[in-house]
Amino acid sequence: MPRRLGERQVFEVFTRTTTDQAITNVGSVTAPDAALAWQLAKETCGRRDDLADLWVVSRADIVAADKTDQPRLTARTRMPHRQPAFPMRRREMPRDQAASPSAPRETRAAWSSLAEDLFLCSHLLAGRLYDFVELETSLAEGSIAQECLAHASVLAELSGAAPTGVDEYFFERSPDRWLPSGIWFRGSRSWSAAVVRGLLLALALELAMNRSHVDGQELRQLAVEQEAHSAHWGRAFAALLADEEIRDDLRSDFQQILDVAGDLLGVPPLDTDPDVQAEFADRLVRAGVPDSWLAAWPSSPRPRQRSWSAGIEEVITEMNAVRRTYDPGVIL
């Protein structure tokens, strides 16, 4: 809306005294225009100090958050190790600290199995980072691998693990007690197979979150992050599908992994949902998977099998060998 001649505005003032400092808001002034606001700010803020920079910005031009934006301002990661002082906080955490609220008993098996899937996905991605052709791709897969570990921790707590016992949950449980999907142990270790596994897991997690009876900001945020993962894997899948030289390898990897992927939702209570498998197939098609590739997709979830203990033991043994290389406390 046009202003009346001479109408005064509020301008926010930003200064710094040296060029290696961050510029800082130091207050506001009122003036009829920006040029006069700058002069007034110089007289007010630069009278006793030399300034390296002086900015004035009309408050009307600032786009600011309000209360409804608070969920969007929450960190887009569940990775506390990226927060300052995390190592000391973790080490000083009381060992008898109470666990976070867990999921209803009837849903814990689903969260436990999906936590194991996330852990194994992270391990496979981390082991292949140096093979990705583009630096940007490697950075993206590294971020997803870290977020998968963070999400695995959240779901492990939902399934009953104490916050201080998550490491033991993954590294010290017997492989015979694990119940992951077979997708981690079938098919090649190629880039196209990694894309297929990542897409299948992200879509399965999206479905599980949407049908979950567990509420809470942390779980909602996890669902948002998994949607970002599925979008990333969908773009990667589309790029591979469009490449005539790679398409046949992609289809081969997809069919091998799809042969066991019917177990992704094969845990209570998801395994009794009559519509869940059809919705999963619909999501795969919307993500770019050709409908003809899903001819062998089962109409209902297949029960998970404890058939992968040898592969799980190999992963845990490899990771624990790395952990033992370091002094106590270095690996948290």
Side-chain angles (χ1 to χ4, degrees), residues 20 24 33 40 64 70 76 84 87 168 192 238 299 301 304 315 321:
D20 60 348
T24 304
D33 57 49
L40 181 58
Q70 194 56 50
R76 284 294 304 275
E168 290 82 356
S192 58
S299 59
R304 294 200 178 202
V315 170

Side-chain angles (χ1 to χ4, degrees), residues 115-127 145-146 148-150 152 166-173 175 178 185 310-327 330-332:
E116 293 164 0
D117 290 334
L118 284 161
F119 181 89
L120 293 169
C121 180
S122 176
H123 173 70
L124 289 177
L125 283 177
Q146 290 183 73
C148 281
L149 277 184
V166 170
D167 288 350
E168 290 82 356
Y169 186 84
F170 290 110
F171 293 107
E172 297 181 14
R173 273 192 311 146
W178 285 53
F185 309 100
I312 297 165
E313 185 170 10
E314 181 180 341
V315 170
I316 295 174
T317 299
E318 178 184 344
M319 297 183 79
N320 277 327
V322 174
R323 290 161 64 86
R324 285 192 295 271
T325 302
Y326 294 90
D327 293 332
V330 174
I331 300 291
L332 298 176

Side-chain angles (χ1 to χ4, degrees), residues 95-320:
R95 297 304 296 176
D96 60 351
Q97 177 174 322
S100 299
S102 58
R105 185 170 298 278
E106 62 270 17
T107 66
R108 290 185 190 178
W111 298 131
S112 176
S113 293
L114 290 169
E116 293 164 0
D117 290 334
L118 284 161
F119 181 89
L120 293 169
C121 180
S122 176
H123 173 70
L124 289 177
L125 283 177
R128 302 288 303 198
L129 290 183
Y130 56 86
D131 288 337
F132 298 146
V133 176
E134 299 171 338
L135 176 61
E136 194 65 29
T137 300
S138 292
L139 291 171
E141 311 321 321
S143 294
I144 289 176
Q146 290 183 73
E147 286 199 341
C148 281
L149 277 184
H151 295 174
S153 176
V154 171
L155 297 190
E157 290 182 34
L158 276 177
S159 64
T164 54
V166 170
D167 288 350
E168 290 82 356
Y169 186 84
F170 290 110
F171 293 107
E172 297 181 14
R173 273 192 311 146
S174 167
D176 294 334
R177 296 179 59 193
W178 285 53
L179 199 62
S181 169
I183 67 173
W184 314 110
F185 309 100
R186 181 70 64 86
S188 72
R189 290 291 183 263
S190 67
W191 166 233
S192 58
V195 170
V196 171
R197 292 188 184 97
L199 180 61
L200 286 166
L201 177 60
L203 292 176
L205 284 159
E206 276 189 53
L207 254 176
M209 301 295 170
N210 290 339
R211 292 169 182 255
S212 167
H213 298 294
V214 180
D215 197 12
Q217 174 64 27
E218 193 163 41
L219 200 60
R220 288 195 296 271
Q221 189 63 39
L222 193 153
V224 170
E225 290 165 3
Q226 282 299 324
E227 288 176 7
H229 290 193
S230 64
H232 169 84
W233 293 123
R235 289 191 295 271
F237 188 93
L240 293 174
L241 188 65
D243 190 324
E244 293 183 1
E245 294 183 3
I246 298 175
R247 187 182 304 145
D248 288 343
D249 291 337
L250 174 66
R251 179 165 189 164
S252 176
D253 283 325
F254 186 86
Q255 296 301 334
Q256 289 183 58
I257 296 169
L258 189 72
D259 189 47
V260 292
D263 69 355
L264 272 165
L265 301 177
V267 286
L270 298 169
D271 57 348
T272 58
D273 189 324
D275 302 319
V276 71
Q277 205 72 345
E279 184 176 343
F280 199 163
D282 182 61
R283 286 174 181 252
L284 284 168
V285 172
R286 280 187 278 136
V289 176
D291 189 58
S292 60
W293 290 17
L294 296 171
W297 185 246
S299 59
S300 58
R302 293 173 177 168
R304 294 200 178 202
Q305 305 291 330
R306 298 188 189 276
S307 306
W308 316 108
S309 56
I312 297 165
E313 185 170 10
E314 181 180 341
V315 170
I316 295 174
T317 299
E318 178 184 344
M319 297 183 79
N320 277 327

Side-chain angles (χ1 to χ4, degrees), residues 5-11 13 28-44 54-57:
L5 188 64
E7 183 179 358
R8 300 173 73 81
Q9 306 174 62
V10 178
F11 290 85
V13 181
S28 60
V29 296
T30 57
D33 57 49
L36 286 174
W38 191 91
Q39 291 292 339
L40 181 58
K42 182 178 72 70
E43 293 301 320
T44 303
L54 172 63
W55 300 355
V56 293
V57 181

